Amino acid sequence: MAIHSHIGVLAFPFGSHAAPLLTLVRRLAAASSSRDIIFSFFNTEKSNCAIFSGQEFDNIKAYDVWDGTPEGEAFSGSHFEAMQLFLNATPGNFEKAMKEAESESGMKISCLLTDAFLWFACDMAEARRVPWVAFWTAASCSLSAHMYTDQIWSMLRSIDAAEREEKALAFVPGMSSIRFSDLPGEILPEKSESPLAIMIYKMVQKLPKSTAVVLNSFEEIDPLITNDLKSKFQNFLNIHLSILSGDPPILSGDSGQECLSWLKKQRHASVVYISFGTVTTPQPEELAALAEVLETGEFPFLWSMRDNAKKLLPEGFLNRTSKFGMIVSWAPQPKVLENPSVGVFITHCGWNSVLESISSGVPMICRPFFGDQSLNSRMVEAVWKIGVGLEGGVFTKNGTIEALHYIMSNETGKAIRENINKLKQKAENSVKLDGSSTKNFKALLELLKSSTGV
Ligand code: U2F
């Protein structure tokens, strides 16, 4: 069959935004076995190298776009500065690469599938008269909170600062246990001038015009939020990628086999797995408190920690704990969490980590840092009841011991383990043949196939 759809995929190259988008695209490319769709994947060189890791996939071609660093300069700034430079370079950097892909393939782009942050894709799609499918990389709860930004602002005007701590978002369906203080900072007026907040607010205005909003989750996790968002978008498609694809996320890393072999030797549900995702490193005082608890309690632990953070650990920690602990610069996280020896996940509550923990039935200890993480953490603790937070919100010796004992104990941790296993079952059901994720995936594939770009 001749190729008749050319999908332009536009990635946001920071944090773990691009990796799940590529997982979705790989899955779609594999499912269109008649090879009637091609995907051009537009992303910065650095992010493409990390997520493709030198691999090639049928019907997917990666194109590098300019990251915004002035020519001849080597970038040495922060994560947020890199983001700002990149945003300044959009959409021109994408347009340029898209023209190249069209001329190489001889086919006009027939549909844009983009990170939802890239709101300008709505205008690009309108100008090209093609559908725009937006991929939201976080949870439905944070998407919902952003969609209610205007109402949240008007509510905030009517309450004083002290009330914010505990006041609930009762007017947002499914969020009655969420407090104003749990919301992503970008929603609040104080941060509304930040580049990230401006980008997300523009996205909120454009998303209802998209042909579909897709996210890596499953409908049954939050039926009220799901139904509400279905009423706001033309199509709202929850697709649980981590189970559906079966492929581990392809982010570069090392020590994979070594830590899986180490895990196999540990007792059932005894290991504390620790990771703070792709962006964050806690402050040295917090790392020291966590390290002390692991060391004095002799908790078996596997800690994913970037090499440059190791120097922040207490002196001699690595040697003193080498009999019962392991530190790696990158762990094959989904496989780690699936291992029966893992009893708890200490996490920053990035959405991919929360979803992977649910998919493996591993309870969480939450230490959120920024963005959607506090909201995810509150959902974990107060709504789904599948984990706990830390007293005072940061790692201290006593608070960390308390949280670990709470989860690891047969008695107190029992309800949490039962809850997460029920949620895990719902996630698995969603990817069965007649499950909601499977249906949504098929609907997305049909939508892409019906776009023609001759
Ligand atoms: C941003 O989150 P992060 O990238 O910091 O964190 P996650 O969403 O939890 O994603 C981390 C991914 O990296 C993988 C892990 C997740 O798929 O399995 N990983 C791994 O394989 N090995 C390791 O040693 C460590 C991690 C942002 F900060 C969050 O607030 C957002 O929720 C998130 C999604 O938009 O993006």
Side-chain angles (χ1 to χ4, degrees):
M1 182 190 270
I3 293 170
H4 66 254
S5 305
H6 179 185
I7 314 300
V9 186
L10 276 57
F12 183 73
F14 300 100
S16 47
H17 276 244
L21 181 60
L22 179 57
T23 304
L24 173 65
V25 168
R26 284 177 63 190
R27 178 73 191 169
L28 288 163
S32 62
S33 51
S34 51
R35 300 181 181 240
D36 46 359
I37 307 186
I38 55 167
F39 296 86
S40 295
F41 196 93
F42 304 103
N43 191 14
T44 59
E45 185 184 2
K46 188 174 170 204
S47 178
N48 266 341
C49 280
I51 63 171
F52 280 87
S53 300
Q55 300 172 82
E56 287 184 6
F57 304 108
D58 282 349
N59 295 350
I60 306 173
K61 173 132 201 245
Y63 288 87
D64 294 342
V65 304
W66 182 42
D67 66 3
T69 310
E71 202 155 328
E73 276 182 32
F75 179 74
S76 61
S78 69
H79 178 77
F80 288 97
E81 284 161 354
M83 204 184 286
Q84 183 60 68
L85 277 178
F86 172 75
L87 289 175
N88 292 345
T90 61
N93 55 352
F94 282 117
E95 292 281 13
K96 186 166 176 253
M98 283 160 68
K99 283 202 186 102
E100 191 189 326
E102 287 181 325
S103 102
E104 263 185 29
S105 65
M107 270 187 85
K108 287 272 175 216
I109 284 173
S110 58
C111 176
L112 289 179
L113 166 59
T114 79
D115 193 300
F117 274 7
L118 305 176
W119 56 271
F120 49 80
C122 179
D123 303 339
M124 286 169 134
E126 262 175 19
R128 289 168 173 265
R129 297 184 191 200
V130 299
W132 173 40
V133 177
F135 181 61
W136 174 250
T137 57
S140 52
C141 55
S142 53
L143 178 58
S144 174
H146 285 293
M147 296 309 294
Y148 280 90
T149 301
D150 289 339
Q151 290 90 327
I152 289 171
W153 275 43
S154 66
M155 190 80 177
L156 279 174
R157 280 192 281 270
S158 68
I159 59 175
D160 60 40
E163 271 183 282
R164 269 198 198 185
E165 271 311 302
E166 289 302 322
K167 180 106 182 148
L169 253 75
F171 59 97
V172 181
M175 308 266 257
S176 55
S177 302
I178 303 304
R179 303 155 302 188
F180 281 85
S181 52
D182 300 316
L183 290 173
E186 288 70 30
I187 292 181
L188 303 173
E190 301 85 274
K191 272 209 176 174
S192 63
E193 298 302 318
S194 81
L196 198 57
I198 293 171
M199 178 176 71
I200 295 176
Y201 191 64
K202 285 185 176 159
M203 174 203 80
V204 162
Q205 283 152 341
K206 298 287 186 186
L207 279 186
K209 289 186 172 185
S210 66
T211 308
V213 176
V214 178
L215 80 169
N216 181 14
S217 189
F218 54 104
E219 294 185 352
E220 296 75 10
I221 194 169
D222 288 306
L224 287 175
I225 298 179
T226 302
N227 285 338
D228 185 46
L229 289 177
K230 277 186 179 174
S231 74
K232 290 189 165 20
F233 303 131
Q234 296 179 39
N235 288 287
F236 181 57
L237 304 174
N238 284 249
I239 300 173
H240 189 344
L241 290 171
S242 19
I243 295 184
L244 194 62
S245 72
D247 307 315
I250 34 173
L251 289 169
S252 56
D254 60 7
S255 326
Q257 275 316 316
E258 203 188 336
C259 59
L260 293 179
S261 313
W262 180 84
L263 282 173
K264 274 193 198 141
K265 292 184 218 137
Q266 310 304 317
R267 273 187 306 112
H268 182 262
S270 67
V271 174
V272 181
Y273 171 61
I274 307 156
S275 165
F276 301 107
T278 59
V279 185
T280 307
T281 304
Q283 291 297 311
E285 315 81 75
E286 285 196 65
L287 287 178
L290 175 55
E292 190 183 344
V293 168
L294 296 171
E295 184 176 347
T296 50
E298 294 199 5
F299 288 99
F301 68 88
L302 174 64
W303 195 335
S304 164
M305 179 186 281
R306 279 179 288 281
D307 286 333
N308 61 2
K310 284 185 191 152
K311 60 179 183 297
L312 304 174
L313 286 169
E315 216 182 316
F317 173 77
L318 290 176
N319 282 340
R320 291 194 302 273
T321 55
S322 61
K323 283 210 175 67
F324 56 89
M326 187 174 191
I327 295 194
V328 291
S329 55
W330 189 259
Q333 185 167 297
K335 292 260 169 271
V336 165
L337 290 166
E338 271 169 25
N339 195 294
S341 67
V342 176
V344 61
F345 181 12
I346 299 188
T347 170
H348 67 311
C349 289
W351 177 241
N352 296 293
S353 291
V354 173
L355 191 63
E356 288 160 14
S357 218
I358 292 172
S359 308
S360 301
V362 177
M364 284 159 267
I365 293 177
C366 309
R367 168 47 176 118
F369 290 85
F370 66 87
D372 58 338
Q373 297 163 10
S374 294
L375 177 53
N376 295 340
S377 162
R378 178 74 177 167
M379 296 293 288
V380 164
E381 203 180 351
V383 180
W384 304 318
K385 299 186 170 57
I386 54 175
V388 294
L390 291 160
E391 197 193 314
V394 295
F395 293 111
T396 58
K397 195 174 159 202
N398 289 342
T400 309
I401 291 178
E402 200 184 318
L404 276 170
H405 284 314
Y406 191 92
I407 296 264
M408 301 300 244
S409 128
N410 276 340
E411 276 170 42
T412 47
K414 189 166 175 252
I416 286 183
R417 279 190 291 276
E418 280 172 4
N419 291 340
I420 199 159
N421 281 320
K422 279 188 205 145
L423 214 47
K424 175 187 174 188
Q425 190 58 56
K426 287 184 183 171
E428 284 172 357
N429 289 344
S430 87
V431 295
K432 289 187 175 158
L433 268 183
D434 59 346
S436 57
S437 280
T438 309
K439 285 184 188 155
N440 288 338
F441 179 76
K442 284 184 183 156
L444 175 61
L445 190 58
E446 285 315 310
L447 195 161
L448 299 185
K449 278 185 176 173
S450 66
S451 68
T452 45
V454 203

